[in-house]
Amino acid sequence: MTFIFEVNKNKFYKLKKNLEFIISLPGASIFSSLVDSLQVACNYKELIDCIDAVIKKYGNLTRVIVGTDIFIVLTKPEDYKLVLTNVNGNYKSSVTQTWEAILGDGIIRASGVSHKLRRKIIHPLMNIKYISEYITFFDSNFCTDILEKNVDGPMFDLKPYIAQYVFNIFLVTTVGIQGIAHKDERDILHKQKELFKDAYSKVIKPWLRLNWIFFTKNRKQMCIAQNTVLDFIYNISPRKPGNYTALQYNNYNMTIIQELKPIFYNYYDRVEQIRVNASNKSYDVSDENFLDDIRNFFAAIQNTITEATSFIMLMLAIHTDVQEKLRQEILVTFNNDKIDVQRLLSMRYLYMVFQETLRLFPVVPLISRQLTGDIKLESCTLPEGCYVMIPIFAIHRNPMYWYKPLEFIPERFSSTHHRYTYIPFGVGLRDCVGQKYAFLFMATIIVNLLRRFRFVTVGNLNDVKTTTDIVLRLQHVKMSIFRI
Ligand code: HEM
């Protein structure tokens, strides 16, 4: 009894300390934060626009309410660097609970020892040496061949074509499968997208988390969507947990590529090594965790690369001078040769275009944490238990750090900038493990597209329409293509 009392007293004091700190911060009143939060929930405002407006008004270290939680927003590089590189800033915030249907207990949501172990396994597998082996798969004619029917035709949406290509490359590089039955592909991608939208809705409209009240048609659809994606992952996984049985066994028409060691085969070898060597048996990756990590890679690769490549292609179609300059670099570097990593990495202008697009359109626009201990900043101490948000989108468009922040100027990356004002892949202990994979894959697509086609669109940067769920997305990528 005394123990329970002590534990609750402790919790109460932590909460009190937390609230007192939040209220002491300069910024909008809790009441007006609540009004902003309701406007987002009712979709009168986009979350990232709302956060942007709050920061513009109140600056660094302010507060916003998202759903049921109050977040402290950090925009000063020195401050968020201290949080993201501190072990007390290693836990994801409550927001990620709503991502469970998409990510399960995979590495992106995991915390503590389980996260540390899986990151230790995955991180080395994503270095340039390993990723270079996948270049021959990134570099396929399929990427350009599927667009042939649109040459000299009317405007069309490029995004579904990129999504189809990314799906194929995800399969071959992670689990070594080529030639999946195409009838399922659209359905799986569509259901994954619905799950993303649903997870985001639950963040900003917390009442939707009460599944038992809202067991509506939508909830049933989400259960079907979740099971479809899980079944797909189960069917493609090289290892299957004993206690999971696919609802539908899809006998995909697939070929296993023998000459390649895909990411999750390497991953499993490392798990086996740990099992043999570890004296502590709890230091292990369960088969369920293994499956969830494939599911996380599916979500990460499919969504970030499809959206980021779409943003780059749209920027090139709007800024035809940049497109031409990049094409010249591509022709000088490769002409019609097969793509290799050394030459890809030598292309400075391509890298600038990549960086500038992710500055304006960071496909992961916000990151958040819940602190597991106090963190001392220069101006104050963030208390244990508080929620912290780092608005990458707003930081990348802050005029204090960027000259003409709303313009697309790849050349700005020809000179150095403050290391922590540009963070599309996050920073510190949980930064993106897939950044090299992302760059090499996207760079290969762009080289192949630009040396075969010219891309043209109508409108300018102000006409670009985005939406956010967990990822920043383009609504569509309408353009025409012509042969070079
Ligand atoms: C343009 C493409 C991408 C962008 C902008 C991006 C961005 C990010 C960001 C900002 C984080 C940090 C999240 C946080 O701190 O809470 C992250 C984490 C992560 N990313 Fe990416 N990502 C991209 C592509 C990829 C790809 C292609 C993969 C897989 C091959 C991947 C796998 C991951 C994983 C597993 C994590 C979690 C790392 C951890 O928590 O330890 N990402 N990504």
Side-chain angles (χ1 to χ4, degrees):
M1 193 65 182
T2 329
F3 174 71
I4 296 175
F5 178 71
E6 279 304 315
V7 171
N8 284 333
K9 199 168 86 183
N10 230 331
K11 267 195 179 165
F12 173 77
Y13 280 118
K14 268 186 201 156
L15 198 70
K16 187 167 163 276
K17 193 173 143 200
N18 222 311
L19 266 174
E20 278 169 0
F21 176 76
I22 288 167
I23 290 168
S24 76
L25 291 177
S29 69
I30 296 287
F31 177 72
S32 64
S33 296
L34 205 66
V35 172
D36 281 344
S37 153
L38 281 174
Q39 287 186 332
V40 171
C42 299
N43 295 118
Y44 302 137
K45 271 190 186 176
E46 277 264 358
L47 178 62
I48 55 171
D49 293 339
C50 166
I51 293 169
D52 207 24
V54 170
I55 297 164
K56 277 197 182 113
K57 202 158 169 194
Y58 300 103
N60 185 39
L61 265 173
T62 185
R63 56 184 164 243
V64 290
I65 298 182
V66 182
T68 49
D69 301 318
I70 309 180
F71 284 84
I72 299 165
V73 189
L74 300 181
T75 56
K76 207 168 132 196
E78 292 75 15
D79 287 348
Y80 54 76
K81 181 194 150 197
L82 281 172
V83 170
L84 295 173
T85 52
N86 191 310
V87 282
N88 291 336
N90 212 14
Y91 270 66
K92 291 285 176 92
S93 77
S94 61
V95 163
T96 59
Q97 278 165 15
T98 66
W99 304 357
E100 212 219 327
I102 319 166
L103 304 170
D105 289 322
I107 180 172
I108 297 177
R109 280 186 68 238
S111 288
V113 182
S114 172
H115 169 260
K116 207 169 156 191
L117 171 62
R118 284 187 271 163
R119 192 167 163 107
K120 202 168 144 192
I121 294 173
I122 291 178
H123 204 265
L125 302 178
M126 303 304 288
N127 69 24
I128 212 85
K129 180 178 143 269
Y130 278 101
I131 303 301
S132 301
E133 293 189 17
Y134 305 133
I135 278 283
T136 45
F137 295 95
F138 296 160
D139 183 17
S140 146
N141 284 340
F142 179 61
C143 155
T144 42
D145 290 349
I146 48 173
L147 291 177
E148 277 295 334
K149 62 173 184 282
N150 296 295
V151 173
D152 298 332
M155 299 247 275
F156 69 103
D157 188 1
L158 182 68
K159 198 172 359 167
Y161 293 91
I162 297 176
Q164 189 187 347
Y165 189 60
V166 174
F167 183 76
N168 287 357
I169 302 299
F170 154 74
L171 278 169
V172 79
T173 55
T174 57
V175 289
I177 291 173
Q178 224 173 27
I180 197 92
H182 286 279
K183 68 176 170 56
D184 293 317
E185 174 192 305
R186 274 172 195 240
D187 185 42
I188 293 164
L189 292 183
H190 174 73
K191 292 206 161 103
Q192 192 193 51
K193 212 162 139 195
E194 291 299 303
L195 288 171
F196 265 86
K197 264 201 219 153
D198 187 60
Y200 178 68
S201 301
K202 284 182 183 157
V203 172
I204 57 169
K205 301 177 196 211
W207 56 90
L208 294 179
R209 292 179 213 168
L210 304 170
N211 284 346
W212 50 278
I213 295 182
F214 292 92
F215 202 77
T216 53
K217 197 171 153 219
N218 177 52
R219 293 271 68 79
K220 284 182 205 151
Q221 275 171 355
M222 287 310 118
C223 287
I224 296 172
Q226 186 179 351
N227 286 334
T228 307
V229 175
L230 262 171
D231 259 21
F232 162 67
I233 298 293
Y234 179 85
N235 279 309
I236 61 166
S237 170
R239 303 277 160 161
K240 314 214 190 276
N243 57 1
Y244 181 93
T245 324
L247 299 174
Q248 274 189 327
Y249 187 74
N250 286 312
N251 199 1
Y252 290 122
N253 174 20
M254 57 200 191
T255 320
I256 311 281
I257 299 281
Q258 299 297 346
E259 68 270 26
L260 171 84
K261 199 74 191 284
I263 295 171
F264 281 91
Y265 281 69
N266 284 324
Y267 180 125
Y268 205 81
D269 285 353
R270 287 174 64 92
V271 174
E272 301 264 80
Q273 270 170 19
I274 289 171
R275 282 183 184 161
V276 171
N277 298 331
S279 50
N280 178 355
K281 290 293 164 212
S282 64
Y283 196 65
D284 192 11
V285 178
S286 68
D287 285 346
E288 288 77 14
N289 285 167
F290 179 73
L291 216 62
D292 279 342
D293 283 343
I294 303 182
R295 189 148 59 116
N296 281 217
F297 267 54
F298 177 41
I301 294 176
Q302 191 64 46
N303 290 280
T304 61
I305 296 195
T306 302
E307 294 304 329
T309 310
S310 301
F311 276 115
I312 294 184
M313 292 315 297
L314 187 63
M315 289 305 102
L316 294 175
I318 292 174
H319 305 90
T320 46
D321 52 335
V322 175
Q323 185 184 149
E324 204 37 54
K325 193 168 164 186
L326 181 54
R327 184 171 292 109
Q328 285 317 311
E329 185 184 53
I330 291 169
L331 293 178
V332 169
T333 315
F334 286 111
N335 198 6
N336 281 324
D337 297 353
K338 281 220 84 65
I339 294 174
D340 61 83
V341 177
Q342 262 66 39
R343 279 189 277 177
L344 213 49
L345 293 176
S346 74
M347 295 177 65
R348 290 197 61 218
Y349 197 59
L350 173 66
Y351 193 49
M352 289 182 215
V353 170
F354 175 84
Q355 286 177 296
E356 177 66 343
T357 309
L358 286 180
R359 182 191 66 81
L360 266 177
F361 304 104
V363 289
V364 177
L366 303 167
I367 52 183
S368 61
R369 298 286 189 270
Q370 178 170 19
L371 304 193
T372 51
D374 292 359
I375 297 185
K376 201 170 169 346
L377 306 181
E378 204 186 310
S379 59
C380 62
T381 298
L382 299 173
E384 175 183 348
C386 73
Y387 295 114
V388 172
M389 177 188 287
I390 295 121
I392 302 181
F393 185 84
I395 294 163
H396 282 188
R397 290 170 175 234
N398 187 335
M400 279 207 334
Y401 309 133
W402 304 97
Y403 159 77
K404 295 190 180 173
L406 301 183
E407 291 182 25
F408 180 77
I409 313 173
E411 285 73 10
R412 74 171 83 236
F413 282 98
S414 61
S415 58
T416 53
H417 53 90
H418 186 307
R419 157 88 177 83
Y420 293 104
T421 51
Y422 180 71
I423 51 165
F425 293 103
V427 183
L429 305 174
R430 301 201 71 141
D431 71 345
C432 179
V433 296
Q435 40 193 304
K436 296 192 180 76
Y437 181 103
F439 174 68
L440 290 180
F441 184 11
M442 286 160 61
T444 310
I445 300 179
I446 288 154
V447 168
N448 280 332
L449 290 179
L450 256 61
R451 60 184 175 180
R452 191 165 335 170
F453 307 117
R454 199 157 49 79
F455 295 82
V456 180
T457 190
V458 287
N460 57 37
L461 209 47
N462 298 327
D463 303 316
V464 174
K465 298 265 179 299
T466 59
T467 56
T468 333
D469 41 62
I470 295 163
V471 167
L472 180 70
R473 299 178 190 275
L474 260 172
Q475 283 182 9
H476 49 70
V477 197
K478 289 270 165 65
M479 54 180 71
S480 320
I481 59 172
F482 304 94
R483 210 180 307 286
I484 294 294

